Amino acid sequence: MWVLPRLLPRRPASSPYFHPSGSCRSVNPKPTGSDFCGVIYRAFSCQQRDSNFRLPPPHPATMNIFRLTGDLSHLAAIIILLLKIWKSRSCAGISGKSQILFALVFTTRYLDLLTSFISLYNTSMKVIYIGCSYATVYLIYMKFRATYDGNHDSFRVEFLVVPVGGLAVLINHDFSPLEILWTFSIYLESVAILPQLFMISKTGEAETITTHYLFCLGLYRALYLFNWIWRFYFEGFFDMIAIVAGVVQTVLYCDFFYLYVTKVLKGKKLSLPA
């Protein structure tokens, strides 16, 4: 089993904030000198099987402008989608499978709501994300089911969930149930938008409001890339799992970003190559 260490900050963070959307739930003081080498060595060696080996106790992560705007962009995407469905009384053009995957992402990522409290901001955002994701699934599959285009929403999600689950078991920061589920959520979020993009490619177009939702969702992940750069430079923090998954997710949006700028912002309808 591969357990990847986090490279942790030089000092405990002073802020009570904790980012709900992003990749790492906590930040620890960075070991120095031989202590740091010892942590890295033991994390990759057979000593990781020793139940007495633990990383240093966590400290809350600091807030920065990229993380805050990323969270707000993520929240805006969710609100745009809910308003689109509710006002139009239709979920046409929306992938229900993508929304189920996002609900699964938030559920597995925020199980720590049952075990810890970090800040009111942290808890509120987590509850909002979970509540809105299940509300969206309810609107698609229950209230406005008659408008749901299941024929075009045909992506095989098991081809995402099963490999992601296996990867989370094999590569994680700590081989424990909560940590594996958190890692699973990070991996799954990076590909959860694929059923939506696949649906757009099959229909050949997307409503303008749907493209705004996708743009805000992609912007959130792009802002988190800058957040990780900020944290590495100012806090010495580096999380390989989160960064690789985030890069994959951002790359999936690149083609969409190009079409959004060249078509939607010019008043044209968006379409993806079939």
Side-chain angles (χ1 to χ4, degrees):
M1 213 65 63
W2 297 332
V3 179
L4 299 184
R6 293 187 180 100
L7 299 189
L8 306 167
R10 302 177 182 85
R11 59 190 180 281
S14 58
S15 170
Y17 293 107
F18 179 89
H19 58 298
S21 299
S23 52
C24 202
R25 293 152 302 151
S26 60
V27 176
N28 302 323
K30 182 177 180 180
T32 59
S34 60
D35 292 336
F36 175 73
C37 294
V39 170
I40 298 299
Y41 170 75
R42 296 182 68 188
F44 280 105
S45 70
C46 61
Q47 293 184 42
Q48 64 181 302
R49 301 192 189 104
D50 180 3
S51 61
N52 294 322
F53 172 65
R54 296 289 186 273
L55 288 173
H59 292 270
T62 56
M63 179 64 72
N64 61 64
I65 187 62
F66 300 113
R67 180 179 302 166
L68 179 60
T69 52
D71 286 347
L72 294 179
S73 178
H74 196 182
L75 184 61
I78 294 172
I79 293 174
I80 287 172
L81 182 61
L82 282 172
L83 288 178
K84 182 267 180 192
I85 296 175
W86 186 257
K87 286 190 173 183
S88 66
R89 317 297 287 180
S90 169
C91 57
I94 303 299
S95 169
K97 292 184 177 180
S98 270
Q99 298 310 311
I100 289 176
L101 293 180
F102 282 123
L104 183 59
V105 165
F106 296 136
T107 301
T108 54
R109 182 175 301 174
Y110 300 144
L111 289 174
D112 60 347
L113 279 171
L114 304 175
T115 61
S116 61
F117 175 83
I118 298 173
S119 71
L120 180 60
Y121 171 84
N122 175 265
T123 299
S124 299
M125 294 295 279
K126 289 179 179 180
V127 171
I128 289 172
Y129 288 149
I130 294 174
C132 288
S133 65
Y134 280 99
T136 304
V137 172
Y138 168 77
L139 292 178
I140 293 174
Y141 287 100
M142 299 292 291
K143 191 169 183 63
F144 303 122
R145 182 177 179 82
T147 64
Y148 170 57
D149 187 4
N151 291 328
H152 287 115
D153 192 16
S154 57
F155 192 93
R156 300 285 296 276
V157 294
E158 60 269 27
F159 292 156
L160 300 177
V161 175
V162 174
V164 162
L167 188 62
V169 172
L170 291 174
I171 304 177
N172 50 67
H173 290 305
D174 181 42
F175 196 71
S176 63
L178 283 180
E179 189 67 28
I180 290 173
L181 288 172
W182 175 83
T183 306
F184 170 80
S185 77
I186 296 298
Y187 293 151
L188 184 61
E189 185 185 23
S190 69
V191 295
I193 199 61
L194 282 177
Q196 180 66 65
L197 297 178
F198 182 75
M199 186 176 186
I200 292 176
S201 71
K202 289 193 69 175
T203 59
E205 61 181 18
E207 296 180 20
T208 300
I209 191 66
T210 304
T211 63
H212 294 332
Y213 156 72
L214 290 172
F215 176 77
C216 287
L217 205 58
L219 181 62
Y220 134 70
R221 181 46 64 187
L223 286 167
Y224 259 77
L225 289 179
F226 289 105
N227 162 63
W228 291 322
I229 295 172
W230 175 282
R231 293 188 64 192
F232 178 75
Y233 184 79
F234 290 101
E235 303 175 21
F237 181 83
F238 183 82
D239 186 336
M240 181 61 73
I241 288 177
I243 291 175
V244 171
V247 169
V248 169
Q249 186 174 356
T250 305
V251 167
L252 291 178
Y253 282 95
C254 285
D255 186 48
F256 169 80
F257 282 149
Y258 173 78
L259 293 174
Y260 185 86
V261 172
T262 57
K263 292 189 176 183
V264 178
L265 293 185
K266 294 182 179 179
K268 302 177 183 178
K269 265 198 170 184
L270 181 144
S271 61
L272 291 177

